[in-house]
Amino acid sequence: MIPTLPQEWRDGTLDDVLYLCRELAEDPTFPTVRAWRAQGGKVAGHFQVYFPEEIAHAAGLLPVKMRGAPLEPGIADSHFGSYLCSIIKTSLEAALSQALTLDLFVSHPICDAARNLAAIWARNYDYPCQILYLPQNPNSAHSVSYLTDEYARLQRVVEQVANRHIDAEALTHSIDVFNRNRALLRELYMIKRDTPWLLDAADAWCLVALAGFVPREEHNDLLENLLPRIRARQARREDRVRVVFEGGFCEQPPLDLLRMLGRTCYVVDDDLLIGLRWLTEDVSVDAAPLQALARAYIETSSYSPVQHDLRKPKEHMLLERVRAARADAVILAAAKMCEPGLEEQVAYTQMLDAQQIPYFVSEFEENMTSFENLEMQIETFLENLQFA
């Protein structure tokens, strides 16, 4: 494994390390990816929402989640129309501005904009730009075999980029590494759910986000070090409303918005960066690796507005999330110009009305900088719940 994090983090206090994580998560120059490349490593960029990172990892590539960036899309704007979500533009801007250098790019047909992103990317770069076609009908009896074949096609592309054959042993090892990471992320969310006063929403997001641009072994090491220290933190529980944040499955809200929420309520669960937590249980290391990954995607996965699974009606899945987190209310947010997110809000609000669960509807953009009005509205909403 090529180290990418500053090694002095091991000697820092908990507050020092969390500060470093915030700095890295907000840095538009992607220093960890640069460190990886400086030592000869290759990089596979993958767009939201879900990507089987184990395949890239098994080939020795660093899988990097393309989740946008705090950049003005000055170059990328000329490659797109006006009415598109920000994440599409800033993801390409990160590459065009040379903040991020890739050896492979993979997108997904989760919406019209993302469907065309690989083709636009390919016009500007010679390296492979692929679309990963996850099953449109995961309820089909053939969905696992179809997805196994699609993963095998992706594996051949990755092998070409890495100039390395991926054998079953290497892929099984990668699955084991990622199983450990998913377990640690579940533990992190357990802390958010059970003791949210120990870790605010912004710091939790940064700890998850780091998984998208450091080697997963290094991320495992970081979480194994930090989670016990977070649990041992001395912090006083406050009388705050417990809230679920829904709407961060693709474009991410700005960190300052999450900081604002951390000042006003406890965010006890969310769908932020859900692709990094998509598989909800360990993937089998005893079955054929690609088939095990495919079966996990179909049978033990979360939900989002861009997967259409009749076994997982999204409004029912949101209700389960609210009840499991013992939440008092829901913040329904959607990125501007995000058709899948905005469409799903109709079903969400109808369900929440029927269940008499309070909710607040809003929208965001990753590069928004003014939060005064939104903070006042959310504070008013929360105070009405507390003092009703």
Side-chain angles (χ1 to χ4, degrees):
M1 181 195 71
I2 299 173
T4 63
L5 292 173
Q7 291 305 295
E8 58 268 21
W9 74 262
R10 299 178 184 279
D11 300 321
T13 67
L14 177 59
D15 288 341
D16 288 340
V17 181
L18 291 176
Y19 176 79
L20 172 64
C21 294
R22 291 193 295 270
E23 290 292 293
L24 291 172
E26 289 191 288
D27 193 328
T29 67
F30 301 93
T32 57
V33 182
R34 288 177 179 270
W36 175 270
R37 292 197 69 88
Q39 299 173 75
K42 292 185 176 181
V43 177
H46 57 94
F47 192 68
Q48 302 274 38
V49 172
Y50 173 75
F51 174 78
E53 295 173 291
E54 291 90 338
I55 297 174
H57 179 273
L61 303 183
L62 176 65
V64 171
K65 176 167 277 297
M66 305 297 291
R67 53 168 177 81
L71 297 166
E72 286 299 322
I75 308 173
D77 256 342
S78 62
H79 296 262
F80 298 103
S82 301
Y83 299 104
L84 289 176
C85 57
S86 176
I87 185 177
I88 292 284
K89 299 178 182 180
T90 59
S91 293
L92 182 60
E93 182 73 21
L96 293 175
S97 66
Q98 300 183 349
L100 194 58
T101 302
L102 306 179
D103 300 282
L104 167 67
F105 175 71
V106 181
S107 185
H108 315 273
I110 59 173
C111 65
D112 288 340
R115 181 181 295 113
N116 294 306
L117 186 57
I120 294 172
W121 213 285
R123 291 179 184 177
N124 295 277
Y125 295 100
D126 294 331
Y127 53 72
C129 300
Q130 293 283 317
I131 298 177
L132 175 63
Y133 292 96
L134 297 168
Q136 290 297 306
N137 180 17
N139 305 121
S140 166
H142 305 286
S143 59
V144 172
S145 60
Y146 161 79
L147 187 54
T148 302
D149 290 342
E150 180 66 357
Y151 283 173
R153 181 187 68 82
L154 175 66
Q155 178 175 319
R156 292 191 292 271
V157 175
V158 170
E159 288 174 335
Q160 177 188 355
V161 171
N163 195 26
R164 180 194 299 185
H165 173 65
I166 302 172
D167 59 25
E169 183 179 358
L171 193 48
T172 298
H173 169 71
S174 293
I175 289 173
D176 194 46
V177 170
F178 279 74
N179 279 345
R180 178 57 182 156
N181 189 251
R182 284 184 282 266
L184 289 166
L185 291 177
R186 289 195 295 270
E187 184 179 347
L188 172 65
Y189 267 72
M190 191 180 301
I191 293 173
K192 277 174 59 98
R193 196 165 51 246
D194 296 341
T195 53
W197 52 91
L198 297 180
L199 186 68
D200 69 25
D203 283 338
W205 182 88
C206 291
L207 288 176
V208 176
L210 277 178
F213 48 90
V214 302
R216 208 50 62 97
E217 295 93 336
E218 200 168 16
H219 193 246
N220 288 350
D221 193 17
L222 178 73
L223 292 182
E224 286 170 349
N225 179 288
L226 291 186
L227 293 182
R229 295 163 69 182
I230 292 170
R231 286 190 180 278
R233 217 175 191 178
Q234 296 299 312
R236 188 178 62 183
R237 178 177 181 174
E238 297 180 4
D239 184 20
R240 295 190 184 184
V241 176
R242 297 171 60 90
V243 166
V244 163
F245 182 96
E246 188 80 10
F249 64 94
C250 185
E251 184 170 326
Q252 298 300 291
L255 199 55
D256 282 341
L257 191 153
L258 297 179
R259 290 189 181 107
M260 178 268 286
L261 290 177
R263 293 193 298 268
T264 56
C265 61
Y266 287 138
V267 180
V268 291
D269 205 350
D270 55 63
D271 65 343
L272 299 168
L273 294 170
I274 193 65
L276 294 172
R277 304 178 286 119
W278 185 254
L279 305 184
T280 57
E281 298 178 12
D282 284 355
V283 179
S284 173
V285 293
D286 298 320
L290 289 181
Q291 186 179 57
L293 285 169
R295 190 171 299 281
Y297 177 85
I298 299 298
E299 296 181 357
T300 56
S301 58
S302 187
Y303 69 98
S304 86
V306 297
Q307 188 198 47
H308 309 288
D309 189 333
L310 297 178
R311 298 167 301 175
K312 298 187 292 186
K314 285 172 277 294
E315 61 273 24
H316 296 165
M317 298 298 287
L318 173 58
L319 181 59
E320 286 185 19
R321 174 171 286 168
V322 171
R323 287 174 172 169
R326 305 183 303 282
D328 306 307
V330 178
I331 294 178
L332 291 177
K336 291 182 179 180
M337 308 295 177
C338 177
E339 291 185 7
L342 290 166
E343 288 174 357
E344 214 58 57
Q345 284 190 346
V346 177
Y348 288 157
T349 55
Q350 289 178 348
M351 179 276 295
L352 294 170
D353 282 334
Q355 296 293 324
Q356 297 184 323
I357 298 173
Y359 61 90
F360 178 90
V361 178
S362 184
E363 64 177 8
F364 65 85
E365 191 171 30
E366 61 181 353
N367 285 332
M368 65 189 289
T369 56
S370 177
F371 305 96
E372 290 83 0
N373 290 338
L374 179 59
E375 184 168 13
M376 184 180 300
Q377 292 169 14
I378 290 179
E379 283 179 350
T380 302
F381 168 70
L382 296 173
E383 286 175 1
N384 284 338
L385 294 182
Q386 282 185 303
F387 303 112

